[in-house]
Amino acid sequence: MAYKNFSTEQLRAADHAHHIHPFTDHQELHEVGVRVVTGADGNYIFDSEGNRILDGMAGLWCVNVGYGRDELADVACEQMKELAYYNTFFKTTHPAVALLSKRLAELAPANINQVFYGASGSESNDTAIRTVRHFWALQGKPEKHIIISRNDAYHGSTIAATSMGGMSAMHGQLGPMLPGFKHVMAPYAYELAEDGESDEDFGLRAAKAVEDAILEAGAENVAAFVGEPIQGAGGVKIPPASYWPEIQRICKKYDVLLMIDEVITGFGRTGEWFACESMGIEPDTITVAKAITSGYQPLSAVLVGDRMAQVLAKGGEYYHGYTYSGHPVCCAVAMANLDILEREGLIERVKKDTGPYLVQRLREVLGDHPLTGEIRGFGLLAAIEIVKDPATKERFEPAGHAAGLVRDHSIANGLMMRAVGETMILSPPLTWTRDTIDEAAQIAKTAFDLAQGELTA
Ligand code: PXG
C-alpha cells in the first residue's frame, strides 16, 4: 500500500494536525501519542511499531468473524465491479439487498419480516424512532410519541440517538435535548440493588420503573420502550432474568411498542443470532449494525415487526431514507459474513463452549484478585468491576483512573481491553477459542497485578 512509505512519526504528525477523533480528549491523546494500527489478522491487530495485540474488543464490538477474511474482500471486489452503487428509492432494487432482506427475515424472530437499511447504528436508531412515531401517527395517534429509555443506554451519536441514549456526559454537550424521551434506571444490580435485595426482585423493581414512567407520561402518549438486551457501552450491564419478561408484560399491558437495540448483541455475541432469542424478548423493532458485516463494511438496519410493517405498507409514501440505504457492496459483504458465521458454527460455539468458558476462566484467574468486585458475562461479553474494596464495593479515586491503569497495562502486555468508567470490558471476535481465552486471561492477570502494584504503592 502507498502509505507503507510513511514513517510512524509522519503518520502521527498528519493525524495530530488534521484528524478529529471520535470520543477523544485530544490534549491527552497528543500527550500520550496515537497508536497507528496498520494491519490485522485473525484475532490480532498490528501497529506500526511492531506490536501484536490480541483484540479483546473485536474492533469496537463488531469484528465477529475476526480479521483478514479474504472471502469478504473478494465479495466486496466482485460486487463493486458488478454494481458498485445504485439507489433503492425509485422503484428499483438489486440482488444483494433483496436476498439479504430475505435472509435477515429468516434469521430474525418469527414476527419480524421487513428490513429498512442505514449505514450506522445511530442512523438506524433514528430510523427506528421515526418509524415507531410514524406507525402511531398513521393510526390517528400522533400524540403517542414518547420513548422511554434507560440511564447509561448507548444508542448512538446523532442528536436523536444521543437524546434517546442515557449517557449524561453526552447530554451535557448536546445543548437542548430533543423532547419526547424519558429515562429510567438501568437494570444494574451491582450498583443499584439494595442490601439483601435478590437479583429477581431487583429485576422486577427496575422493570417497574418503566411502568411508573408510562403511567406518569400517560400510556396514550408513550410510543415505545427502547433497550439494549445487555447495555454494552454503558458497561456490559446484564439484567437479571426477571427483567425482560416483566418489561414485555408491561409493554403489552399499555400497548407500548418494544424497540430492541441489538447493535452490539446481534449476530452471535450472546450465543444466538439475536439476544432477543437468548432472553425471550418479542420485539417490534430490532436495530442492528456492527457485526452484520463484522465491520468489513458500514451497514445497519432496522428489522421491523409485522404489526408495524402492515400499517406502514398501507400508509402511503414514508418520507425517509438515506443515499446508502441498502448499499449493494455492504449487503453483499453482509451475506458473505452471515455465511461464515453459519458455516463455521461460531454462534453455536459461543453458546456451548467459549461463552461459558470466558466467564469461568476470568473467575478462575481474577475472581479473588484484590481489585475485582464482580465478574459477569453472557455469551462473548464480559465485564469486571474494579474496586478498592470488594467487600464494601468502594471505588478508587479519581473515577476512571484505576480501570484506565488496568487497560493501559493490558494493552502494553498484548491484550486490547476496554475500560468503561470503573468496569473492564471484553467483547472479542467469536473466533476466539479456549486457548485464546486462556491467553487473554493470563495477560489480564498481569495487568491487574501491575495496576494493583501502582495503586497501593
Ligand atoms: N446502539 C448501540 C447499542 C451501540 O453500541 C450504536 C447504537 C451506534 O452505532 P454507530 O454505528 O452509529 O456507532 C452503538 C455503537 C464504546 C462505543 O465506547 C460503542 C459504540 C460506538 C462507539 C463507542 O464502547 N456503539
Side-chain angles (χ1 to χ4, degrees):
M1 301 243 183
Y3 55 70
K4 290 238 158 83
N5 299 325
F6 290 89
S7 70
T8 300
E9 281 327 306
Q10 285 174 312
L11 294 168
R12 281 197 176 131
D15 194 83
H16 184 154
H18 304 293
H19 180 192
I20 302 176
H21 291 246
F23 282 93
T24 294
D25 174 338
H26 284 79
Q27 218 164 346
E28 188 199 344
L29 175 70
H30 299 315
E31 277 160 26
V32 180
V34 71
R35 180 186 303 280
V36 183
V37 175
T38 50
D41 192 34
N43 297 320
Y44 295 87
I45 59 173
F46 310 108
D47 71 19
S48 62
E49 293 176 314
N51 295 303
R52 172 180 179 266
I53 303 170
L54 179 60
D55 186 5
M57 281 307 296
L60 200 51
W61 325 76
C62 53
V63 188
N64 281 17
V65 300
Y67 298 92
R69 297 277 192 170
D70 288 349
E71 187 179 341
L72 298 185
D74 292 345
V75 163
C77 181
E78 226 172 276
Q79 182 64 54
M80 278 185 205
K81 288 180 181 171
E82 193 112 356
L83 177 68
Y85 173 77
Y86 200 71
N87 75 70
T88 50
F89 281 48
F90 308 120
K91 301 191 176 73
T92 53
T93 192
H94 54 77
V97 75
L99 295 175
L100 178 62
S101 305
K102 178 170 183 286
R103 180 91 171 265
L104 290 171
E106 285 161 7
L107 295 175
N111 70 310
I112 291 189
N113 292 291
Q114 303 270 317
V115 187
F116 194 114
Y117 294 95
S120 73
S122 304
E123 244 177 47
S124 279
N125 274 329
D126 273 36
T127 294
I129 294 164
R130 288 198 56 188
T131 308
V132 298
R133 288 179 175 166
H134 186 48
F135 164 81
W136 288 118
L138 283 172
Q139 295 179 98
K141 296 181 179 173
E143 70 287 352
K144 207 163 160 67
H145 73 289
I146 293 171
I147 295 173
I148 296 170
S149 176
R150 286 96 51 88
N151 299 335
D152 299 329
Y154 187 76
H155 296 301
S157 265
T158 58
I159 292 176
T162 300
S163 301
M164 181 161 82
M167 297 286 184
S168 52
M170 290 176 76
H171 293 165
Q173 294 177 341
L174 183 62
M177 292 265 283
L178 284 188
F181 298 98
K182 280 175 83 81
H183 296 87
V184 299
M185 69 187 285
Y188 180 31
Y190 186 71
E191 280 200 350
L192 301 179
E194 281 159 13
D195 283 347
E197 189 175 30
S198 70
D199 246 23
E200 189 188 344
D201 286 350
F202 173 73
L204 295 176
R205 178 159 69 85
K208 171 101 177 14
V210 176
E211 183 165 26
D212 292 346
I214 293 172
L215 292 172
E216 194 185 303
E220 67 284 6
N221 299 314
V222 179
F225 170 76
V226 64
E228 307 151 75
I230 293 167
Q231 286 188 331
V236 181
K237 292 171 177 161
I238 305 168
S242 57
Y243 182 74
W244 279 112
E246 183 64 2
I247 292 283
Q248 187 87 54
R249 188 190 69 75
I250 291 165
C251 286
K252 280 214 169 95
K253 179 173 174 189
Y254 296 101
D255 201 16
V256 163
L257 296 173
L258 186 48
M259 299 162 70
I260 296 295
D261 184 340
E262 294 231 30
V263 168
I264 283 178
T265 52
F267 305 103
R269 179 130 320 271
T270 67
E272 301 282 356
W273 282 99
F274 297 102
C276 284
E277 293 167 70
S278 314
M279 297 182 160
I281 304 168
E282 292 165 33
D284 291 290
T285 63
I286 302 180
T287 307
V288 294
K290 295 193 188 272
I292 189 172
T293 62
S294 284
Y296 280 69
Q297 287 287 294
L299 181 70
S300 66
V302 183
L303 313 182
V304 180
D306 294 341
R307 179 182 176 197
M308 289 175 64
Q310 280 156 15
V311 171
L312 293 170
K314 292 188 187 140
E317 183 174 346
Y318 178 24
Y319 305 115
H320 178 66
Y322 310 107
T323 301
Y324 295 141
S325 287
H327 191 290
V329 178
C330 305
C331 290
V333 169
M335 283 287 269
N337 171 61
L338 301 181
D339 287 344
I340 294 173
L341 286 169
E342 214 160 62
R343 191 175 66 229
E344 297 185 4
L346 294 174
I347 299 176
E348 193 72 0
R349 188 161 100 195
V350 170
K351 183 176 182 171
K352 299 211 167 126
D353 186 30
T354 46
Y357 187 68
L358 175 64
V359 77
Q360 175 199 322
R361 192 74 193 120
L362 289 174
R363 284 183 179 148
E364 283 165 6
V365 173
L366 289 167
D368 294 331
H369 197 280
L371 294 183
T372 300
E374 176 183 77
I375 298 176
R376 56 180 180 268
F378 198 115
L380 275 186
L381 277 172
I384 309 170
E385 298 287 353
I386 303 289
V387 289
K388 193 170 179 183
D389 180 352
T392 61
K393 301 183 182 175
E394 186 193 348
R395 303 285 192 176
F396 286 97
E397 303 273 354
H401 172 66
L405 269 184
V406 175
R407 176 201 56 215
D408 293 346
H409 283 302
S410 176
I411 297 171
N413 282 276
L415 170 66
M416 190 56 76
M417 223 191 324
R418 193 142 147 35
V420 172
E422 292 301 298
T423 312
M424 304 312 302
I425 305 294
L426 283 169
S427 173
L430 310 191
T431 45
W432 275 26
T433 61
R434 283 183 175 235
D435 284 347
T436 335
I437 291 170
D438 290 346
E439 184 185 338
Q442 222 40 60
I443 299 174
K445 168 83 165 68
T446 304
F448 271 61
D449 288 345
L450 290 169
Q452 160 79 355
E454 277 177 56
L455 289 162
T456 51

